[in-house]
Amino acid sequence: MKRILIILLPIVLIAGFVIYQIADAATQTKIGGLMDKKVLVAYFSWSGNTKSIAQKIQAQTGADIFEITPVTPYPADYNETAYGIAKEQKEKGIHPPIHNKDISSYDVIFVGTPAWWYTMAPPVMTFLAENNFEGKIIVPFVTHGGGGGYTIDKDMEKLAKGAKVLSPFVVYGKGNSGTDKDLAEWINKL
Ligand SMILES: Cc1cc2nc3c(=O)[nH]c(=O)nc-3n(C[C@H](O)[C@H](O)[C@H](O)COP(=O)(O)O)c2cc1C
């Protein structure tokens, strides 16, 4: 009996260690290509979904975080925001004034937006158009209500002159229980 225990104990310990390592690797964030880079997560969020994804990215990368806010806040009412203001801003190409941030020290900027009228929200347009993105990398992330990411990455490329825009992370609403893992995999591939 004692001999069986002596043989089995190391096997059980090694198996436990291997299982722990596999589980840990699944949740751990390796920021691979982002190492040594100065990283910012900048996002606009009206109802909280994009904010939630931004905070997850910030937690996984250790980046700085910045909420893009319009000088004139959107109303809390959906119809007023969507049909009263955002639709007109989109149709007329209006870039509403925002509380901006000096981004000159950052190499990589995650830029998060809800899908608004088939593209990014207007305050994000302002952020991209009014800052100097020459030589910087933009990593887009988009939350949507069923329409997907549209061509938001290409739209960002047009506004942020001189930036290299990578493939976006696109998610419905604020994501689900698998979103942390999906984000980790996406970030690792950057
Ligand atoms: C003004 C407005 C326009 C929207 N337009 C779209 C759209 O074109 N396609 C889509 O899939 N969802 C659309 N939505 C839904 C949002 O993209 C979705 O709810 C998003 O996750 C909200 O992010 P937030 O909570 O960070 O504001 C729109 C929402 C609003 C308020």
Side-chain angles (χ1 to χ4, degrees):
M1 182 65 187
K2 212 172 176 182
R3 199 179 296 161
I4 294 172
L5 266 179
I6 288 168
I7 295 166
L8 275 182
L9 196 64
I11 295 171
V12 170
L13 285 175
I14 290 166
F17 179 73
V18 169
I19 289 166
Y20 172 79
Q21 288 295 318
I22 291 169
D24 195 39
T27 53
Q28 211 174 45
T29 300
K30 301 181 201 75
I31 56 173
L34 299 183
M35 215 101 71
D36 306 328
K37 299 265 192 288
K38 187 111 194 284
V39 185
L40 176 71
V41 179
Y43 69 96
F44 167 76
S45 185
W46 179 69
S47 55
N49 293 344
T50 315
K51 180 177 192 154
S52 164
I53 300 297
Q55 287 171 336
K56 288 178 191 295
I57 294 172
Q58 195 272 332
Q60 293 196 17
T61 59
D64 292 341
I65 191 160
F66 171 64
E67 180 171 6
I68 301 165
T69 50
V71 171
T72 307
Y74 291 97
D77 181 77
Y78 174 82
N79 283 329
E80 271 184 60
T81 293
Y83 295 95
I85 303 172
K87 194 162 185 279
E88 189 192 11
Q89 287 180 337
K90 150 134 190 174
E91 284 167 358
K92 295 187 174 162
I94 294 168
H95 295 170
I98 58 166
H99 299 289
N100 212 341
K101 179 177 175 66
D102 178 7
I103 59 155
S104 56
S105 65
Y106 294 97
D107 308 300
V108 177
I109 300 154
F110 286 80
V111 178
T113 183
W116 271 22
W117 295 111
Y118 322 112
T119 185
M120 76 197 87
V124 181
M125 295 185 184
T126 311
F127 179 74
L128 296 178
E130 289 193 354
N131 286 303
N132 180 6
F133 281 89
E134 195 66 48
K136 298 189 189 297
I137 294 173
I138 289 180
V139 195
F141 59 101
V142 178
T143 76
H144 63 89
Y150 304 107
T151 56
I152 289 175
D153 51 339
K154 304 280 171 255
D155 302 341
M156 285 187 177
E157 221 160 46
K158 285 180 201 151
L159 287 167
K161 303 268 182 275
K164 182 177 164 60
V165 180
L166 305 186
S167 298
F169 182 83
V170 178
V171 67
Y172 172 74
K174 64 176 168 37
N176 54 38
S177 57
T179 302
D180 275 311
K181 193 165 166 284
D182 293 345
L183 279 169
E185 283 169 8
W186 170 67
I187 290 166
N188 285 340
K189 283 192 201 138
L190 293 174

